[in-house]
Amino acid sequence: MSTLITGGTVVGPTGAVAADVLIDGETIAALFAPGRGPADVETIDAGGKYVIPGAIDGHTHMQMPFGGTEASDTFETGTRAAAIGGTTTIIDFAIQRFGEVVQDGLAAWHQKTAGNCHIDYGFHMILGGVDDDALKAMDQLVNDEGITSFKLFMAYPGVFYSDDGQVLRAMQKARDNGALIMMHAENGPAIDVLIKQALERGETDPIYHGITRPQELEAEATSRAIWLAEVAADCPTYIVHLSASKALEQVAAARDAGRNVFAETCPQYLYLTLEDQLGAPGFEGAKWVCSTPLRSKHENHRADLWKGLRSNDLSVVSTDHCPFCMKDQKELGVGDFSKIPNGIGGVEHRVDLIYQGVADGKLSLARWVETIATTPARMFGLYPKKGLIAPGSDADIVLYDPNGHTRISVETHHMNMDYSAYEGWEIAGRVDTVISRGEVISAGGEYTGRAGRGRFLRRGLSDYLL
Ligand code: DUC
Ligand code: ZN
Ligand code: ZN
């Protein structure tokens, strides 16, 4: 069956152009000058709307066991919310813990997702224990399983932490097999000292989560990761959830030197702050406990991050979607901020929140699409199947109404969270229609997708490394 999207403005990484888009089955068949497409097909009117590639969220944690509980969105609820918000692909993190077999962790994630996802999905692999077996498993995942990126943690000693020797060995292996190393860059052992000292002083409120994770310890770990990667023959390295100016300086310097270093940021770091959110009265700040933490509004982080997105020192915006409800989950940390499960939910709102940057004049239309769709596709081996409106690509398409408005609230969102990190925010733009592999799954506020229609994506190597 063929469908023609008419009258819209197609936006891609090279800019915007008026064009009609012909979908044939699950893929894009052709682009036409306005009015020049076939006449005998069904049409979708995109007049006054942007026609953009379905967004790709390269960093989610659906139903992740963490902090003594489990992230509150399942793959069913989380991918449905993502779809409604214009995201048609997620890449979630399968987990290997210390002492576990890597392939067992991967199998567990296949089990969690099977029959449950509303949109297409892939996996990165978290390595919580780098040893000889895990290093061997990296080859197998890259060669046979379509898993081509591995996340390591320089934070969370005793949970996911890898020491520098382990990091170096995993980087050497990745340099060898073409995989990308994704790094949670915070100095975990030093943070643990600061946490202990704060608790001993009776500093137990949520804001101390941020105060005990200063930007210097993100910058130091970022720098160390970059140098370790250089020792590993310039292993390609991608810094996740970069939040702070000093960490960004490290990435920018490495990129200026021609290094294989990339980074993402997330909407929470572009908009929210240590004082206004994490420092909210009482236990309220727990809603915004995530790592890396929100940064001070009295420094220049948010402006620097927007600038980094413009200059491509930050290549990608992902969400690090890791939601926990206040009730029974965040509440685990009443009286002790270190026991608050770390994570913020936002998979539904990334497309709108970054479009707000366009409306505010901080980002071009082309960079909006590039940072939320095209670059994640290239970075994570999904391009040009995903992330692009061109003949042969999957017909993952969002019609975006720049004249619409979005009001974010727990009353109306679809994520399984009992609060919203952006409660009451009114933002410019609105996701109008979402098409996933040729099927309209959301239109005019009505959702028509279904669990189980999403397919596992075996990913290739990152485009940026070839
Ligand atoms: N940070 C979070 O806030 N949650 C999940 C894991 C992480 O690194
Ligand atoms: Zn992380
Ligand atoms: Zn994460």
Side-chain angles (χ1 to χ4, degrees), residues 4 22 48 112 116 126 139 157 224 246 257 261 289 301 312 338 347 373 378 380 432 455:
L4 188 67
L22 183 66
K112 288 172 200 257
N116 290 322
I126 286 175
D139 282 338
R224 188 159 29 102
K246 287 182 178 174
V261 171
V289 165
H301 304 287
N312 202 33
S338 72
V347 76
R378 288 175 167 154
F380 300 123
D432 178 85
R455 290 187 196 144

Side-chain angles (χ1 to χ4, degrees), residues 357-429:
V358 177
D360 291 342
K362 291 176 174 157
L363 210 59
S364 69
L365 268 179
R367 276 303 280 167
W368 171 52
V369 169
E370 201 166 27
T371 56
I372 63 171
T374 310
T375 301
R378 288 175 167 154
M379 188 68 68
F380 300 123
L382 292 171
Y383 188 86
K385 182 179 169 67
K386 305 288 189 190
L388 184 68
I389 296 190
S393 295
D394 280 359
D396 290 359
I397 297 172
V398 172
L399 307 192
Y400 198 80
D401 182 359
N403 299 311
H405 291 276
T406 301
R407 182 172 190 279
I408 301 179
S409 172
V410 66
E411 304 299 331
T412 48
H413 75 199
H414 300 84
M415 299 174 288
N416 185 34
M417 289 172 71
D418 63 3
Y419 73 97
S420 170
Y422 304 91
E423 183 60 44
W425 284 34
E426 304 266 358
I427 53 180

Side-chain angles (χ1 to χ4, degrees), residues 149-267:
S149 39
F150 297 87
K151 184 178 179 190
L152 302 172
F153 287 79
M154 299 169 105
Y156 301 126
V159 186
F160 293 126
Y161 176 74
S162 290
D163 66 27
D164 291 350
Q166 291 171 314
V167 168
L168 181 62
R169 291 187 80 198
M171 286 178 162
Q172 289 169 332
K173 174 58 79 179
R175 175 74 282 188
D176 224 42
N177 66 23
L180 184 69
I181 292 294
M182 304 174 76
M183 189 60 75
H184 181 127
E186 287 186 294
N187 185 324
I191 287 167
D192 276 4
V193 169
L194 296 183
I195 290 173
K196 186 163 175 288
Q197 291 170 345
L199 291 173
E200 281 167 2
R201 288 192 296 268
E203 297 167 350
T204 60
D205 286 347
I207 195 170
Y208 292 103
H209 170 79
I211 291 171
T212 55
R213 304 180 94 91
Q215 68 155 333
E216 288 74 14
L217 295 183
E218 183 182 352
E220 183 276 330
T222 301
S223 161
R224 188 159 29 102
I226 288 169
W227 284 117
L228 288 167
E230 179 149 330
V231 172
D234 199 17
C235 168
T237 300
Y238 176 99
I239 307 294
V240 295
H241 47 57
L242 189 146
S243 70
S245 302
K246 287 182 178 174
L248 181 56
E249 281 170 22
Q250 305 302 315
V251 170
R255 289 178 60 78
D256 286 349
R259 296 282 312 286
N260 263 335
V261 171
F262 309 93
E264 67 176 16
T265 192
C266 312

Side-chain angles (χ1 to χ4, degrees), residues 1-10 19-25 35 38-51 395-400 432-444 448:
M1 200 191 81
S2 296
T3 307
L4 188 67
I5 301 172
T6 61
T9 301
V10 175
D20 295 349
V21 180
L22 183 66
I23 298 171
D24 184 20
D40 56 344
V41 294
E42 257 187 47
T43 57
I44 297 174
D45 179 11
K49 308 215 169 64
Y50 294 130
V51 180
D396 290 359
I397 297 172
V398 172
L399 307 192
Y400 198 80
D432 178 85
T433 300
V434 181
I435 301 170
S436 166
R437 272 185 286 101
E439 180 181 346
V440 174
I441 57 172
S442 183
T448 51

